[in-house]
Amino acid sequence: MRRKKLSGLQKSAILLITLGADLSSNILKQDFYDEDIERLSFEISNMDKISPDTRQVVLREFAELHQAREYLMQGGIKYAQDLLEKTLGPQKAAEIIKRLARKIKSMPFSSLQKIDPRHLMSFIQDEHPQTIALILVYLDPEQASVILSSLPAEKQSDIARRIATMDRASPEVVKEVERVLEYKMSTVMGQENTEIGGVSALVNILNMVDRSTERTILENLEAKYPVLAEEVRNRMFVFEDIVKLDDIAIQRILRDINPKDLPIALRGANEEVLAKIFRNQSRRAADMLKEEIKYIGPVRLKDVEEAQKKIVNVIRSLEEVGEISISRGNEDAIVI
């Protein structure tokens, strides 16, 4: 198969074949409707030999689009394009962004991205909490955080729980909510169904709200849904976010970290995290740590993640007592 002849359905089928039966079956169960599974299964069954070059092209395209989508969710189109240009070059970055931008425009509630959240709040504040949750997961996290912060405290935790436990919305439900908002706001909105919600969506919103709102929501979730609250807390600050801390905070954190955890945690770290840690140690300590990482031997991913989690817990504890500061969202920087 030549690349120019591959349809989106064919590329999806090739990707699933390449990933293998076990992983692909899990993906299909979690992320696809029955009719999608039937179409993909039919396409897979009709495929003959797939060349290694074709597999590589499809995998590379998937990886590039996935990376671009992550950048897009973190900081918008300009942020995504800047990062992609650094890694893929201007021409390739523009091509990927153009494809993603077309898809975003066709997403439900895409026109809401341009509306002042305070204005939008007046239209949706009296809606059912599930309806508000549905709308918030489609908004930019910054927009959603303004709306969530403006709601009564008892409503905040209810909507937060609904966002975190939301998996998919049926096309009928999305269309009906769109229809009501269209009537209220005279705004034309897209109608494409998409996967929404989840803990990640809630974390993105909570990262943008003020600390008081964040604390209130988490405390209420803790009281009623402790397992969900713990999952949200664990994802509020991830290990890779270490690069966002200032050098003084890193040096303070290093004093409380178990020396046995650090080399294991760094075994799975990217170059930016490694550089941040090494830069805040003495040359001798940094050299010793590099040697430990080099000669530590094979480490299970589970052990790496556990060590990273312990370090994140140390960071969270130091922030809680005010010894370090983690900047979140639009929170004003306070210098004392």
Side-chain angles (χ1 to χ4, degrees):
M1 290 184 185
R2 294 181 180 177
R3 186 180 184 185
K4 64 179 180 180
K5 293 184 178 181
L6 292 177
S7 66
L9 187 62
Q10 288 174 319
K11 291 176 184 178
S12 298
I14 292 172
L15 178 65
L16 291 173
I17 291 171
T18 304
L19 292 176
D22 291 341
L23 183 55
S24 294
S25 64
N26 288 331
I27 293 173
L28 288 173
K29 289 175 185 176
Q30 295 178 26
D31 299 331
F32 291 86
Y33 291 116
D34 290 343
E35 57 267 28
D36 296 326
I37 295 175
E38 290 178 10
R39 293 173 63 209
L40 280 166
S41 298
F42 179 77
E43 192 66 45
I44 290 171
S45 66
N46 284 326
M47 283 192 169
D48 190 10
K49 186 176 180 181
I50 305 170
S51 71
D53 287 344
T54 300
R55 289 176 185 259
Q56 191 63 35
V57 166
V58 171
L59 284 173
R60 187 184 306 115
E61 183 176 336
F62 172 76
E64 289 172 350
L65 287 173
H66 176 72
Q67 183 183 45
R69 188 173 183 276
E70 289 296 309
Y71 291 160
L72 204 61
M73 292 176 67
Q74 290 175 32
I77 289 181
K78 182 65 170 63
Y79 174 80
Q81 187 159 2
D82 288 344
L83 290 182
L84 288 173
E85 285 181 355
K86 292 178 182 177
T87 55
L88 303 175
Q91 185 174 349
K92 187 69 174 177
E95 176 188 330
I96 293 173
I97 288 296
K98 185 177 180 181
R99 292 171 60 188
L100 282 178
R102 283 198 300 266
K103 186 169 182 62
I104 288 172
K105 288 179 182 178
S106 66
M107 288 178 63
F109 306 101
S110 61
S111 60
L112 296 183
Q113 304 286 343
K114 303 175 183 178
I115 298 176
D116 186 320
R118 291 167 296 184
H119 180 63
L120 182 58
M121 172 70 177
S122 65
F123 287 95
I124 69 173
Q125 60 184 345
D126 295 325
E127 296 290 341
H128 188 280
Q130 186 68 21
T131 301
I132 298 176
L134 175 66
I135 295 170
L136 292 187
V137 297
Y138 279 107
L139 296 180
D140 178 84
E142 186 173 351
Q143 283 181 301
S145 70
V146 173
I147 294 174
L148 189 59
S149 300
S150 302
L151 293 168
E154 64 274 8
K155 212 168 187 178
Q156 289 175 349
S157 59
D158 184 22
I159 292 172
R161 176 187 64 83
R162 292 172 186 271
I163 291 172
T165 57
M166 194 181 298
D167 182 19
R168 285 180 177 272
S170 71
E172 293 76 16
V173 171
V174 174
K175 287 177 182 178
E176 178 60 18
V177 174
E178 286 179 337
R179 186 189 67 77
V180 173
L181 281 179
E182 184 179 55
Y183 174 76
K184 287 184 175 182
M185 307 179 68
S186 300
T187 303
V188 177
M189 301 184 184
Q191 297 181 340
E192 180 182 329
N193 177 51
T194 187
E195 184 177 348
I196 58 171
V199 174
S200 294
L202 176 59
V203 168
N204 285 336
I205 294 172
L206 290 182
N207 276 331
M208 301 300 296
V209 301
D210 60 88
R211 192 63 55 84
S212 176
T213 301
E214 173 196 311
R215 187 176 295 110
T216 298
I217 290 174
L218 289 176
E219 286 176 354
N220 287 335
L221 285 178
E222 184 74 47
K224 297 179 181 179
Y225 312 100
V227 175
L228 174 59
E230 179 61 22
E231 184 176 0
V232 173
R233 287 184 187 277
N234 286 341
R235 296 170 68 171
M236 288 296 289
F237 182 95
V238 297
F239 184 76
E240 289 73 20
D241 288 339
I242 283 175
V243 299
K244 300 177 183 178
L245 299 173
D246 60 39
D247 290 346
I248 294 176
I250 294 294
Q251 293 161 21
R252 176 63 188 88
I253 292 163
L254 287 173
R255 294 206 301 269
D256 280 14
I257 291 176
N258 187 328
K260 294 180 180 179
D261 292 332
L262 190 55
I264 297 174
L266 293 179
R267 185 64 183 266
N270 58 46
E271 292 298 323
E272 195 175 3
V273 171
L274 290 171
K276 186 79 170 182
I277 296 297
F278 295 150
R279 188 170 67 245
N280 284 283
Q281 294 181 304
S282 67
R283 180 176 297 180
R284 182 172 178 275
D287 289 341
M288 290 176 62
L289 181 56
K290 290 176 184 177
E291 288 296 308
E292 280 191 76
I293 296 171
K294 183 177 180 180
Y295 295 107
I296 200 172
V299 181
R300 294 183 304 174
L301 178 60
K302 180 181 177 180
D303 293 333
V304 172
E305 292 176 342
E306 185 62 29
Q308 291 181 349
K309 182 179 178 181
K310 289 178 180 178
I311 292 175
V312 169
N313 287 340
V314 170
I315 294 171
R316 191 177 294 119
S317 297
L318 290 172
E319 185 200 23
E320 191 66 29
V321 297
E323 293 203 30
I324 65 171
S325 176
I326 299 174
S327 177
R328 291 195 179 102
N330 291 327
E331 191 174 81
D332 293 332
I334 300 176
V335 179
I336 299 178

